[in-house]
Amino acid sequence: MFKVMIVDDEPAIREGLKTIIDWNRIGFEVVDAAANGREALQKFERIQPDLMIMDIRMPGMNGLEVIEQLRRNHSRTHVLILSGHADFEYARRALGYGVDGYLLKPVDEVEMEQELLRVYESLEQEQHVGAQRQQPVPAHELVEQMLMSSSGKEQERAQQALSLGWPSYQVLLLEHHASRGDHLDGWSTYLEQLHSWWNMEQRHIAFRAGNYIGILTGRSYGERELSELRERLLDHSTASEMWYAAAGMEVDELEQLHDSYADALDLLEQRFWFGTKGMAVSRSKPYGYGQEPEHTEQPSILAPQANEWADRLYYAVDIRSLEAAERVLTELMSVCHLARLAERDTKSLSSHVLSLALSRLPGSVAGSGPAVQSCLALIPELYSAPTAASMIDLMLRGLEQLLQSINGVSHESVMKQMTDFIRRHYSDNLKLELLAEVFNYNSAYLGKMFKTYTGESFNHFLDGVRLDRAKELLAQGMKVHKVASMVGYANVDYFHSKFKKYTGVSPSAYREQMENEQQH
């Protein structure tokens, strides 16, 4: 029931209003009455009525002066005024003080009940809103308002309402991936899980931060603590789910929380470059593919060229070395990261490199076509890989199956692999340094091993393979300049001098000699 006080200098009106209205049915109770304005103000302090029904004209202190005094004291009590026809100007002024309405004397019962019902609805709404305001806002919502709201005033109110008083503050951000590459769903489930682990006394508040889950903590989170949190999340997840985590800088004041949040956000947006740890801590070196380049005083790093890296990957596959392929792909990721390639561009380049490398394989390995196509079918999956490390793992799994399907990894000696490799690729721009990278040897040491094994230096052996092939092509009547290009010599004069030194005759003379022998 809402409380009502009737204020009128006429006793008949005071008593009449009490009896003609069924107050309880409407939701009101008449708790007191006053004969003049001063009495009304005195009783108001004690009664605190929700509604005052007040005569506009009373001796000593009229109704208008009472309403003015109430509003001056910041009272928001509702008021219905009673007036005669001659008091319209008073009534108009009273409306300026925010009264709910006025009724003409003599009071009409139906009209007054309608006014009372309207006031009752207003009081009910105010009571509901007031109850909501009194209900404390959950801490995680205050953190969300403070960090996510675009309104500066709302951020400030949220900060004041938090008033945590922790010695330091730090924002952690978590990103969830399922096997299909989707972002986090089922927010309430994960947040409830985190809330069940901690409460505010333990200085942790879990909240939603856009596509991520955030944690405001008063503890200091370094790599060890963040790793423990991530492992705990993984323990409560399925095998197909993955969590990535980033910890922003620690700050001393709550108003600096945006700095910690921005720091964590910047780190997590670099999630693709996280190493196998799957996390990053402010001012640490979490990246698995080379140091994060500084924005200043760094030389320009060009994006890697697909053809160059495709050649290296092809050579690694051609010698049946999964280890060499892993080195090539890891180095490619390092160069992409240092060149600041975007995630999408890195995936596109990697897919192109894999495609170019494997497209050459059927030409050198008979029957490898179906296995190559099976490996290339993995390319669409590369675009959903959450990190560079997971993308490399995906490519290596495909390459491992490919190598197993083409008679497995060779167990021949490194030197036998190397000489066979040269005989297959003599026309390429082969360098000892390149093969040292492919076979994972120091180039000087590999050169000595090669000479011990073959009795010749690398360059002399390569020239011998090339020139023997040149002899075969010249014997078929091919032109000298074309033969030079086909066996790996870009300069015809250089080929001429090499061939003459090797055979004792010029290329053209050798071709004529072979033609004469064939005629006889």
Side-chain angles (χ1 to χ4, degrees), residues 1-246:
M1 291 285 181
F2 293 109
K3 296 183 292 185
V4 178
M5 182 165 67
I6 299 172
V7 184
D8 197 294
D9 60 330
E10 297 181 41
I13 292 181
R14 294 198 301 269
E15 293 303 319
L17 289 177
K18 289 180 184 179
T19 57
I20 66 169
I21 303 296
D22 187 351
W23 297 94
N24 291 342
R25 179 177 59 80
I26 301 174
F28 288 101
E29 177 187 5
V30 178
V31 294
D32 210 336
N36 56 62
R38 295 191 187 281
E39 184 184 359
L41 288 176
Q42 291 171 357
K43 290 184 175 183
F44 179 86
E45 295 300 326
R46 176 175 54 85
I47 297 171
Q48 293 291 317
D50 300 297
L51 171 63
M52 296 180 74
I53 299 175
M54 188 177 317
D55 187 10
I56 200 77
R57 277 187 178 274
M58 294 182 293
M61 187 178 196
N62 62 39
L64 195 60
E65 292 171 323
V66 174
I67 297 169
E68 185 179 5
Q69 183 66 42
L70 290 173
R71 298 299 183 244
R72 191 178 299 130
N73 294 335
H74 306 291
S75 170
R76 302 303 304 166
T77 192
H78 291 258
V79 178
L80 285 174
I81 59 174
L82 304 175
S83 69
H85 288 284
D87 299 326
F88 179 76
E89 183 59 28
Y90 277 102
R92 187 185 64 78
R93 288 175 58 193
L95 291 173
Y97 286 111
V99 301
D100 292 75
Y102 71 95
L103 298 162
L104 291 174
K105 293 180 179 180
V107 175
D108 180 79
E109 181 182 343
V110 175
E111 184 182 359
M112 186 165 188
E113 285 194 1
Q114 290 175 346
E115 289 293 326
L116 289 172
L117 286 170
R118 187 169 56 81
V119 173
Y120 179 84
E121 289 178 2
S122 297
L123 285 166
E124 280 273 277
Q125 186 176 1
E126 289 171 12
Q127 192 175 62
H128 178 69
V129 172
Q132 287 186 323
R133 287 178 178 172
Q134 290 174 7
Q135 191 174 17
V137 178
H140 69 275
E141 291 186 15
L142 292 173
V143 176
E144 291 170 17
Q145 290 173 16
M146 185 176 171
L147 293 177
M148 310 297 164
S149 175
S150 58
S151 168
K153 289 184 178 179
E154 188 172 340
Q155 291 176 9
E156 186 176 349
R157 284 196 299 269
Q159 179 183 322
Q160 292 172 351
L162 272 172
S163 61
L164 296 174
W166 294 348
S168 66
Y169 304 90
Q170 191 176 15
V171 173
L172 317 178
L173 290 178
L174 308 170
E175 183 177 4
H176 170 271
H177 276 262
S179 58
R180 61 186 183 277
D182 290 344
H183 287 289
L184 185 67
D185 54 10
W187 287 99
S188 57
T189 302
Y190 292 104
L191 283 172
E192 285 175 10
Q193 179 68 66
L194 291 169
H195 285 309
S196 71
W197 290 349
W198 303 308
N199 53 46
M200 286 182 60
E201 284 68 32
Q202 293 178 308
R203 296 178 183 171
H204 288 88
I205 302 172
F207 63 95
R208 182 170 178 173
N211 287 329
Y212 310 126
I213 275 184
I215 298 171
L216 170 59
T217 177
R219 290 177 51 194
S220 178
Y221 268 75
E223 288 192 13
R224 180 177 62 82
E225 293 81 6
L226 193 62
S227 177
E228 290 174 356
L229 170 60
R230 182 172 172 272
E231 290 301 319
R232 192 174 183 184
L233 285 164
L234 290 172
D235 288 342
H236 287 77
S237 304
T238 64
S240 63
E241 294 175 300
M242 182 57 66
W243 287 91
Y244 300 96

Side-chain angles (χ1 to χ4, degrees), residues 315 418 421-435 458-459 462 466 488:
Y315 294 148
M418 189 169 171
F421 183 87
I422 292 171
R423 289 189 177 97
R424 289 196 300 271
H425 303 289
Y426 60 84
S427 62
D428 292 347
N429 184 26
L430 296 182
K431 301 289 184 183
L432 181 61
E433 292 76 15
L434 174 62
L435 268 68
F458 170 80
N459 288 331
L462 177 60
R466 285 173 168 175

Side-chain angles (χ1 to χ4, degrees), residues 29 32 36 42 55 64 72 87 120 133 151 159 210 250 256 258 261 319 327 340 375 448 455 468 474 480 487:
E29 177 187 5
D32 210 336
N36 56 62
Q42 291 171 357
D55 187 10
L64 195 60
R72 191 178 299 130
D87 299 326
Y120 179 84
R133 287 178 178 172
S151 168
Q159 179 183 322
E250 285 188 75
Q256 298 172 318
H258 275 280
Y261 172 71
I319 64 170
R327 284 196 303 274
R340 305 191 74 83
C375 188
K448 291 177 182 179
D468 284 342
L474 288 169
V480 174
V487 298

Side-chain angles (χ1 to χ4, degrees), residues 474 506-519:
L474 288 169
S506 68
S508 55
Y510 181 84
R511 184 179 61 190
E512 291 176 7
Q513 180 182 332
M514 291 297 102
E515 288 175 350
N516 291 333
E517 289 181 2
Q518 291 171 5
Q519 290 174 359

Side-chain angles (χ1 to χ4, degrees), residues 181-335:
D182 290 344
H183 287 289
L184 185 67
D185 54 10
W187 287 99
S188 57
T189 302
Y190 292 104
L191 283 172
E192 285 175 10
Q193 179 68 66
L194 291 169
H195 285 309
S196 71
W197 290 349
W198 303 308
N199 53 46
M200 286 182 60
E201 284 68 32
Q202 293 178 308
R203 296 178 183 171
H204 288 88
I205 302 172
F207 63 95
R208 182 170 178 173
N211 287 329
Y212 310 126
I213 275 184
I215 298 171
L216 170 59
T217 177
R219 290 177 51 194
S220 178
Y221 268 75
E223 288 192 13
R224 180 177 62 82
E225 293 81 6
L226 193 62
S227 177
E228 290 174 356
L229 170 60
R230 182 172 172 272
E231 290 301 319
R232 192 174 183 184
L233 285 164
L234 290 172
D235 288 342
H236 287 77
S237 304
T238 64
S240 63
E241 294 175 300
M242 182 57 66
W243 287 91
Y244 300 96
M249 67 177 74
E250 285 188 75
V251 295
D252 297 328
E253 304 294 339
L254 198 56
E255 53 262 31
Q256 298 172 318
L257 198 61
H258 275 280
D259 295 334
S260 183
Y261 172 71
D263 196 23
L265 189 62
D266 181 61
L267 288 174
L268 201 52
E269 285 177 347
Q270 292 293 319
R271 178 258 307 140
F272 181 72
W273 297 113
F274 284 11
T276 54
K277 293 181 179 180
M279 63 180 190
V281 177
S282 182
R283 298 189 181 89
S284 69
K285 300 173 184 177
Y287 303 95
Y289 304 97
Q291 180 112 6
E292 173 75 349
E294 298 291 339
H295 293 283
T296 57
E297 299 182 3
Q298 283 288 328
S300 174
I301 302 173
L302 299 177
Q305 298 299 309
N307 289 334
E308 172 192 342
W309 289 92
D311 286 345
R312 292 185 59 188
L313 183 59
Y314 166 65
Y315 294 148
V317 174
D318 190 57
I319 64 170
R320 316 293 199 273
S321 174
L322 192 64
E323 292 78 9
E326 183 175 6
R327 284 196 303 274
V328 171
L329 293 174
T330 301
E331 291 171 18
L332 174 60
M333 289 303 100
S334 178
V335 173

